[in-house]
PDB file of all heavy atoms in Angstrom:
ATOM      1  N   PHE A  40       4.067   8.286  10.104  1.00 94.00           N
ATOM      2  CA  PHE A  40       2.857   7.465  10.109  1.00 94.00           C
ATOM      3  C   PHE A  40       1.932   7.974  11.197  1.00 94.00           C
ATOM      4  O   PHE A  40       2.360   8.649  12.145  1.00 94.00           O
ATOM      5  CB  PHE A  40       3.193   5.982  10.319  1.00 94.00           C
ATOM      6  CG  PHE A  40       4.047   5.695  11.518  1.00 94.00           C
ATOM      7  CD1 PHE A  40       3.481   5.410  12.748  1.00 94.00           C
ATOM      8  CD2 PHE A  40       5.432   5.694  11.412  1.00 94.00           C
ATOM      9  CE1 PHE A  40       4.263   5.131  13.856  1.00 94.00           C
ATOM     10  CE2 PHE A  40       6.236   5.422  12.510  1.00 94.00           C
ATOM     11  CZ  PHE A  40       5.652   5.138  13.741  1.00 94.00           C
ATOM     12  N   SER A  41       0.641   7.644  11.074  1.00 94.00           N
ATOM     13  CA  SER A  41      -0.367   8.234  11.956  1.00 94.00           C
ATOM     14  C   SER A  41      -0.987   7.258  12.949  1.00 94.00           C
ATOM     15  O   SER A  41      -1.779   7.675  13.791  1.00 94.00           O
ATOM     16  CB  SER A  41      -1.486   8.845  11.095  1.00 94.00           C
ATOM     17  OG  SER A  41      -2.071   7.858  10.264  1.00 94.00           O
ATOM     18  N   PHE A  42      -0.646   5.974  12.875  1.00 93.00           N
ATOM     19  CA  PHE A  42      -1.291   4.994  13.747  1.00 93.00           C
ATOM     20  C   PHE A  42      -0.361   4.596  14.893  1.00 93.00           C
ATOM     21  O   PHE A  42       0.847   4.879  14.883  1.00 93.00           O
ATOM     22  CB  PHE A  42      -1.702   3.745  12.948  1.00 93.00           C
ATOM     23  CG  PHE A  42      -0.558   3.100  12.207  1.00 93.00           C
ATOM     24  CD1 PHE A  42       0.279   2.190  12.844  1.00 93.00           C
ATOM     25  CD2 PHE A  42      -0.327   3.403  10.881  1.00 93.00           C
ATOM     26  CE1 PHE A  42       1.318   1.596  12.167  1.00 93.00           C
ATOM     27  CE2 PHE A  42       0.728   2.820  10.195  1.00 93.00           C
ATOM     28  CZ  PHE A  42       1.553   1.911  10.836  1.00 93.00           C
ATOM     29  N   ASP A  43      -0.909   3.945  15.882  1.00 94.00           N
ATOM     30  CA  ASP A  43      -0.162   3.495  17.048  1.00 94.00           C
ATOM     31  C   ASP A  43       0.522   2.174  16.743  1.00 94.00           C
ATOM     32  O   ASP A  43      -0.147   1.186  16.400  1.00 94.00           O
ATOM     33  CB  ASP A  43      -1.122   3.323  18.229  1.00 94.00           C
ATOM     34  CG  ASP A  43      -0.407   2.980  19.520  1.00 94.00           C
ATOM     35  OD1 ASP A  43       0.817   2.720  19.494  1.00 94.00           O
ATOM     36  OD2 ASP A  43      -1.078   2.948  20.573  1.00 94.00           O
ATOM     37  N   PRO A  44       1.856   2.083  16.828  1.00 95.00           N
ATOM     38  CA  PRO A  44       2.541   0.820  16.556  1.00 95.00           C
ATOM     39  C   PRO A  44       2.087  -0.331  17.453  1.00 95.00           C
ATOM     40  O   PRO A  44       2.304  -1.506  17.111  1.00 95.00           O
ATOM     41  CB  PRO A  44       4.017   1.150  16.810  1.00 95.00           C
ATOM     42  CG  PRO A  44       4.115   2.628  16.626  1.00 95.00           C
ATOM     43  CD  PRO A  44       2.812   3.177  17.120  1.00 95.00           C
ATOM     44  N   ALA A  45       1.433  -0.021  18.552  1.00 95.00           N
ATOM     45  CA  ALA A  45       0.971  -1.074  19.454  1.00 95.00           C
ATOM     46  C   ALA A  45      -0.056  -1.986  18.806  1.00 95.00           C
ATOM     47  O   ALA A  45      -0.307  -3.094  19.304  1.00 95.00           O
ATOM     48  CB  ALA A  45       0.382  -0.449  20.723  1.00 95.00           C
ATOM     49  N   MET A  46      -0.643  -1.563  17.679  1.00 94.00           N
ATOM     50  CA  MET A  46      -1.641  -2.402  17.005  1.00 94.00           C
ATOM     51  C   MET A  46      -1.007  -3.404  16.044  1.00 94.00           C
ATOM     52  O   MET A  46      -1.718  -4.205  15.422  1.00 94.00           O
ATOM     53  CB  MET A  46      -2.628  -1.527  16.233  1.00 94.00           C
ATOM     54  CG  MET A  46      -2.052  -0.821  15.021  1.00 94.00           C
ATOM     55  SD  MET A  46      -3.176   0.393  14.275  1.00 94.00           S
ATOM     56  CE  MET A  46      -4.581  -0.633  13.881  1.00 94.00           C
ATOM     57  N   LEU A  47       0.324  -3.424  15.928  1.00 95.00           N
ATOM     58  CA  LEU A  47       0.980  -4.199  14.890  1.00 95.00           C
ATOM     59  C   LEU A  47       1.418  -5.618  15.262  1.00 95.00           C
ATOM     60  O   LEU A  47       1.794  -6.377  14.352  1.00 95.00           O
ATOM     61  CB  LEU A  47       2.206  -3.435  14.372  1.00 95.00           C
ATOM     62  CG  LEU A  47       1.902  -2.136  13.620  1.00 95.00           C
ATOM     63  CD1 LEU A  47       3.185  -1.437  13.236  1.00 95.00           C
ATOM     64  CD2 LEU A  47       1.043  -2.416  12.406  1.00 95.00           C
ATOM     65  N   PRO A  48       1.437  -6.034  16.534  1.00 94.00           N
ATOM     66  CA  PRO A  48       1.824  -7.430  16.797  1.00 94.00           C
ATOM     67  C   PRO A  48       0.961  -8.402  16.007  1.00 94.00           C
ATOM     68  O   PRO A  48      -0.262  -8.284  15.962  1.00 94.00           O
ATOM     69  CB  PRO A  48       1.590  -7.576  18.299  1.00 94.00           C
ATOM     70  CG  PRO A  48       1.792  -6.207  18.848  1.00 94.00           C
ATOM     71  CD  PRO A  48       1.215  -5.289  17.799  1.00 94.00           C
ATOM     72  N   GLY A  49       1.624  -9.351  15.367  1.00 92.00           N
ATOM     73  CA  GLY A  49       0.916 -10.283  14.507  1.00 92.00           C
ATOM     74  C   GLY A  49       0.911  -9.880  13.055  1.00 92.00           C
ATOM     75  O   GLY A  49       0.548 -10.673  12.181  1.00 92.00           O
ATOM     76  N   ASN A  50       1.318  -8.618  12.768  1.00 94.00           N
ATOM     77  CA  ASN A  50       1.362  -8.136  11.394  1.00 94.00           C
ATOM     78  C   ASN A  50       2.782  -7.984  10.848  1.00 94.00           C
ATOM     79  O   ASN A  50       2.995  -8.117   9.640  1.00 94.00           O
ATOM     80  CB  ASN A  50       0.643  -6.791  11.265  1.00 94.00           C
ATOM     81  CG  ASN A  50      -0.854  -6.912  11.429  1.00 94.00           C
ATOM     82  OD1 ASN A  50      -1.431  -6.360  12.359  1.00 94.00           O
ATOM     83  ND2 ASN A  50      -1.491  -7.649  10.550  1.00 94.00           N
ATOM     84  N   ILE A  51       3.738  -7.662  11.721  1.00 95.00           N
ATOM     85  CA  ILE A  51       5.100  -7.407  11.247  1.00 95.00           C
ATOM     86  C   ILE A  51       6.066  -7.517  12.419  1.00 95.00           C
ATOM     87  O   ILE A  51       5.679  -7.339  13.576  1.00 95.00           O
ATOM     88  CB  ILE A  51       5.196  -6.009  10.586  1.00 95.00           C
ATOM     89  CG1 ILE A  51       6.481  -5.875   9.777  1.00 95.00           C
ATOM     90  CG2 ILE A  51       5.067  -4.893  11.623  1.00 95.00           C
ATOM     91  CD1 ILE A  51       6.522  -4.650   8.883  1.00 95.00           C
ATOM     92  N   GLU A  52       7.320  -7.818  12.092  1.00 96.00           N
ATOM     93  CA  GLU A  52       8.384  -7.796  13.093  1.00 96.00           C
ATOM     94  C   GLU A  52       9.367  -6.679  12.708  1.00 96.00           C
ATOM     95  O   GLU A  52       9.442  -6.264  11.562  1.00 96.00           O
ATOM     96  CB  GLU A  52       9.125  -9.142  13.142  1.00 96.00           C
ATOM     97  CG  GLU A  52       8.251 -10.328  13.521  1.00 96.00           C
ATOM     98  CD  GLU A  52       7.357 -10.788  12.378  1.00 96.00           C
ATOM     99  OE1 GLU A  52       7.844 -10.890  11.218  1.00 96.00           O
ATOM    100  OE2 GLU A  52       6.142 -10.999  12.629  1.00 96.00           O
ATOM    101  N   ASN A  53      10.117  -6.210  13.690  1.00 96.00           N
ATOM    102  CA  ASN A  53      11.101  -5.143  13.468  1.00 96.00           C
ATOM    103  C   ASN A  53      10.460  -3.909  12.842  1.00 96.00           C
ATOM    104  O   ASN A  53      11.024  -3.277  11.944  1.00 96.00           O
ATOM    105  CB  ASN A  53      12.258  -5.617  12.587  1.00 96.00           C
ATOM    106  CG  ASN A  53      13.103  -6.687  13.232  1.00 96.00           C
ATOM    107  OD1 ASN A  53      12.997  -6.936  14.436  1.00 96.00           O
ATOM    108  ND2 ASN A  53      13.942  -7.345  12.459  1.00 96.00           N
ATOM    109  N   PHE A  54       9.264  -3.538  13.299  1.00 96.00           N
ATOM    110  CA  PHE A  54       8.590  -2.370  12.723  1.00 96.00           C
ATOM    111  C   PHE A  54       9.490  -1.154  12.813  1.00 96.00           C
ATOM    112  O   PHE A  54       9.973  -0.785  13.883  1.00 96.00           O
ATOM    113  CB  PHE A  54       7.272  -2.099  13.445  1.00 96.00           C
ATOM    114  CG  PHE A  54       6.627  -0.810  13.001  1.00 96.00           C
ATOM    115  CD1 PHE A  54       6.110  -0.688  11.723  1.00 96.00           C
ATOM    116  CD2 PHE A  54       6.585   0.290  13.846  1.00 96.00           C
ATOM    117  CE1 PHE A  54       5.535   0.500  11.297  1.00 96.00           C
ATOM    118  CE2 PHE A  54       6.015   1.482  13.430  1.00 96.00           C
ATOM    119  CZ  PHE A  54       5.489   1.587  12.149  1.00 96.00           C
TER     120      PHE A  54
END
Side-chain angles (χ1 to χ4, degrees):
F40 53 91
S41 58
F42 56 85
D43 185 352
M46 69 189 301
L47 293 177
N50 290 117
I51 195 169
E52 299 76 44
N53 294 347
F54 173 69

